[in-house]
Amino acid sequence: MSRESISQSISIVHPISLSHGKNAEVWDTTGKRYIDFVGGIGVLNLGHCHPGVVEAIREQATRLTHYAFNAAPHAPYIELMDRLCAFIPVDYAVSGMLTNSGAEAAENALKIVRGATGRTAVIAFDGAFHGRTLATLNLNGKVAPYKQKVGVLPGPVYHLPYPSADNGVTCAEALKAMDRLFSVEIDVNDVACFIIEPVQGEGGFLALDIEFAQALRRFCDDKNILLIADEIQSGFGRTGQRFAFSRLGIEPDLILLGKSIAGGVPLGAVVGRKALLDNLPKGGLGGTYSGNPIACAAALATLDAMTDAQLKTWGSQQEAAIVRRYAAWREQQLSPYLGRLTGVGAMRGIELAHADGTPAPQQLTQLLSLARDAGLLLMPSGKSRHIIRLLAPLTTEPAVLEQGLDMLEACLKQLN
């Protein structure tokens, strides 16, 4: 099958063509079956073709396939926003808007904070990933490949070290860097917001230091700066609870949503303090496809499935299996390249590193190929693309999860 009509600037991790999938399994056009530890890069927390989501899409498609909400409101959008705002675990009044993607949610959040604060500067973090649109590129915490050859980016944006036990950056070091930033680079009174992932995705599944998160919240409150939590990848149960910011003991002012919000149908959202979402002039927010009725129906079915009890059960079971197998591999000294286990809950990364601790991206490239040949799809992450990110559906059957981990174990043994 020719791919000449597809831009060569799109990077492909796995050079296969998928045909269909069910829960944590997919098949390519040759009929080969794979266990899917990629999950559409965190989109399929409920797996491929979840029955409830499929039925909701089918039923909605017979009623109304599209209407632009800003032209005439439709019931699925209204119902979803009511349900979604109630799903956000904060104590303040919540409102929001739907978008087509997580990156679009981030773009709208930047507009919202500018309108609310009258300021333009944004503080992001090393290793961050917030999207591939022009404004979100500048928020990302690495240059290659996202910022190359695109010229001057919208700003001003500044970056701080991301403190995490997973990367060795301490709370004290991050606070010291923040103090330097406001002493040397920018007046704190010009800062509109901080934007941070409670668990970095592209950065290598690094869990944010809790002490730093609480210090940052206090700092923002003191300086009248808004705090945005990007939960696009970490949300909707990936860490065993609705959203990862809850483990930090803080409430962000705005929350970015996407990926697993709608079971694989394109949808995103920005939600948060109602006063912030209402501050722009009428018409300042919206979009032709934003909150498409079919996507809303899929999201409503997703919320039906994501009860707190289910999320806790799915997350704890998957976390326990991963941690148990990783501990056994370490004890067995399975591979000289087996590094740290990063992340929290079922949002886990496995680092590949040399004996001196330096990243081993070549071995990860080898692992991706070995695993694919064996019937397992994996996804890289980290600044050096040396961390496997495990994003199997939360609904993965235990036997299938163990089979996938067996494949991973066999492939780790083969690294050279």
Side-chain angles (χ1 to χ4, degrees):
M1 186 180 296
S2 172
R3 298 182 182 179
E4 289 302 312
S5 60
I6 299 173
S7 169
Q8 296 303 297
S9 295
I10 300 175
S11 176
I12 305 295
V13 175
H14 296 291
I16 59 177
S17 295
L18 295 180
S19 166
H20 60 285
K22 182 178 181 181
N23 201 14
E25 300 167 275
V26 292
W27 288 261
D28 68 17
T29 51
T30 72
K32 181 173 179 176
R33 174 250 195 186
Y34 303 86
I35 294 175
D36 186 6
F37 278 12
V38 177
I41 316 183
V43 170
L44 298 166
N45 284 358
L46 293 182
H48 294 272
C49 300
H50 183 278
V53 174
V54 170
E55 181 55 33
I57 292 170
R58 181 184 293 117
E59 196 278 334
Q60 181 59 47
T62 68
R63 297 166 61 85
L64 185 69
T65 57
H66 175 68
Y67 217 87
F69 187 80
N70 51 298
H74 53 80
Y77 191 118
I78 296 168
E79 183 182 355
L80 176 58
M81 285 310 306
D82 284 346
R83 291 273 306 279
L84 190 59
C85 288
F87 192 71
I88 305 299
V90 295
D91 289 334
Y92 55 74
V94 177
S95 70
M97 64 165 295
L98 297 176
T99 65
N100 298 298
S101 68
E104 191 179 299
E107 290 263 359
N108 279 279
L110 294 179
K111 291 194 302 185
I112 290 165
V113 297
R114 284 189 175 203
T117 66
R119 306 171 184 177
T120 58
V122 178
I123 312 298
F125 289 81
D126 296 351
F129 182 84
H130 300 289
R132 287 184 175 87
T133 57
L134 197 62
T136 57
L137 285 183
N138 212 15
L139 301 177
N140 293 347
K142 73 175 186 179
V143 172
Y146 308 113
K147 302 182 186 182
Q148 293 173 319
K149 298 182 70 173
V150 294
V152 177
L153 295 170
V157 175
Y158 301 85
H159 288 85
L160 290 172
Y162 183 89
S164 170
D166 296 320
N167 64 4
V169 177
T170 67
C171 173
E173 289 169 336
L175 291 175
K176 183 177 180 180
M178 189 164 74
D179 182 65
R180 180 206 170 274
L181 178 70
F182 295 129
S183 297
V184 177
E185 301 284 348
I186 182 173
D187 185 342
V188 69
N189 295 306
D190 293 334
V191 176
C193 68
F194 284 79
I195 181 168
I196 195 164
E197 297 161 276
V199 184
Q200 284 194 342
E202 174 84 2
F205 283 18
L206 313 179
L208 183 62
D209 181 272
I210 294 175
E211 181 184 0
F212 177 81
Q214 295 179 359
L216 180 61
R217 178 70 273 182
R218 292 191 297 270
F219 182 85
C220 288
D221 289 341
D222 183 57
K223 303 297 182 183
N224 294 316
I225 296 171
L226 298 177
L227 179 59
I228 302 173
D230 182 338
E231 291 270 7
I232 294 165
Q233 190 164 160
S234 58
F236 293 97
R238 179 47 60 181
T239 61
Q241 50 198 321
R242 298 181 190 184
F243 300 100
F245 72 78
S246 294
R247 65 173 283 274
L248 302 173
I250 63 168
E251 291 186 348
D253 300 300
L254 293 173
I255 304 154
L256 309 182
L257 308 177
K259 290 195 179 287
S260 278
I261 188 174
V265 181
L267 190 67
V270 52
V271 297
R273 297 185 185 276
K274 182 171 174 53
L276 298 176
L277 270 295
D278 294 346
N279 85 84
L280 289 175
K282 285 191 179 296
L285 299 176
T288 303
Y289 284 101
S290 303
N292 171 274
I294 292 176
C296 290
L300 286 165
T302 297
L303 289 178
D304 286 342
M306 288 189 172
T307 65
D308 287 334
Q310 286 280 53
L311 293 179
K312 183 177 180 181
T313 298
W314 292 333
S316 61
Q317 288 179 347
Q318 194 166 125
E319 177 185 22
I322 294 169
V323 171
R324 172 175 50 81
R325 294 297 292 271
Y326 172 82
W329 298 339
R330 291 288 286 186
E331 184 177 350
Q332 298 163 14
Q333 298 183 337
L334 182 72
S335 168
Y337 300 104
L338 184 63
R340 299 168 297 170
L341 182 70
T342 65
V344 295
M347 191 171 180
R348 292 289 180 163
I350 297 176
E351 178 191 51
L352 296 187
H354 296 286
D356 62 0
T358 58
Q362 291 183 331
Q363 281 67 33
L364 181 49
T365 299
Q366 181 189 8
L367 180 64
L368 294 175
S369 178
L370 289 169
R372 182 173 61 248
D373 290 345
L376 175 66
L377 298 181
L378 300 173
M379 190 73 188
S381 67
K383 181 179 179 180
S384 301
R385 286 175 64 89
H386 68 295
I387 298 175
I388 309 158
R389 47 177 153 175
L390 302 178
L391 287 168
L394 297 173
T395 52
T396 303
E397 298 91 342
V400 174
L401 181 64
E402 290 294 338
Q403 186 182 5
L405 292 170
D406 287 343
M407 293 175 176
L408 178 55
E409 177 178 319
C411 295
L412 285 167
K413 287 180 180 178
Q414 298 176 56
L415 294 181
N416 53 48

